Amino acid sequence: MSVDGAQLWTLNQRLLGVVMDACTGELAELGLETKEFFVLAEVEASPYPAEIATALLLPKASVTVYVRNLVAKGFVRREIDEADLRRHRLVLTAEGTQARDRALAALAAEYDRRLARVTLQDRVELQRILKAMLASPASGCVRE
């Protein structure tokens, strides 16, 4: 049986989309659009908008709009970076942390609901495989 990498990638994307779609209502109750959630979830790891754009593969202009929305909603605030006064770093507010955590819990619950269809042994193997794939050295697309 042949395993096509593009097909596996597509199935993974489809799964992520289904999980996100199932959580859209809960995100909306928190006052978040899907892409705003991703930006909110990335703020602690990448506190500068340009870093967020790179991490999430989003255009910088889009990240600017999402950040502006998150600031207006009280989830994020901008602070002057003391190391470089020309830059603003983003910081989650208490409300932003709470919204992020509730949204992550909703996503985890939906993903867990889907994982329940898979044996524990297969879940352990999936985790091992994903970690191995992420540990591989980064490289561009390779044509063969």
Side-chain angles (χ1 to χ4, degrees):
M1 176 167 137
S2 174
V3 177
D4 180 352
Q7 184 183 26
L8 288 174
W9 185 85
T10 300
L11 287 169
N12 187 56
Q13 286 299 109
R14 193 172 301 151
L15 173 61
L16 296 175
V18 167
V19 170
M20 287 304 303
D21 287 347
C23 295
T24 300
E26 290 171 86
L27 291 177
E29 286 176 21
L30 295 169
L32 290 169
E33 294 177 16
T34 302
K35 289 186 180 175
E36 289 174 345
F37 159 71
F38 286 116
V39 170
L40 184 68
E42 187 64 29
V43 167
E44 283 187 336
S46 306
Y48 302 101
E51 290 177 357
I52 292 172
T54 299
L56 299 179
L57 305 173
L58 292 171
K60 290 179 182 178
S62 296
V63 171
T64 298
V65 171
Y66 300 135
V67 167
R68 188 174 296 139
N69 293 345
L70 292 169
V71 168
K73 293 174 184 184
F75 293 148
V76 173
R77 70 175 181 274
R78 290 182 178 95
E79 293 182 352
I80 299 290
D81 185 343
E82 291 299 321
D84 182 351
L85 299 177
R86 298 169 295 173
R87 294 177 74 182
H88 285 90
R89 68 184 276 117
L90 303 174
V91 178
L92 289 178
T93 64
E95 295 83 4
T97 299
Q98 182 180 19
R100 180 208 55 203
D101 292 349
R102 286 182 56 200
L104 285 172
L107 287 169
E110 179 61 25
Y111 199 81
D112 284 343
R113 191 174 71 74
R114 297 200 176 259
L115 274 176
R117 302 172 185 171
V118 179
T119 67
L120 178 59
Q121 181 180 352
D122 284 347
R123 281 183 257 167
V124 169
E125 184 66 3
L126 177 60
Q127 182 179 33
R128 184 197 64 73
I129 291 167
L130 292 172
K131 285 181 176 181
M133 290 174 70
L134 288 170
S136 298
S139 63
C141 285
V142 177
R143 292 184 187 172
E144 293 183 24

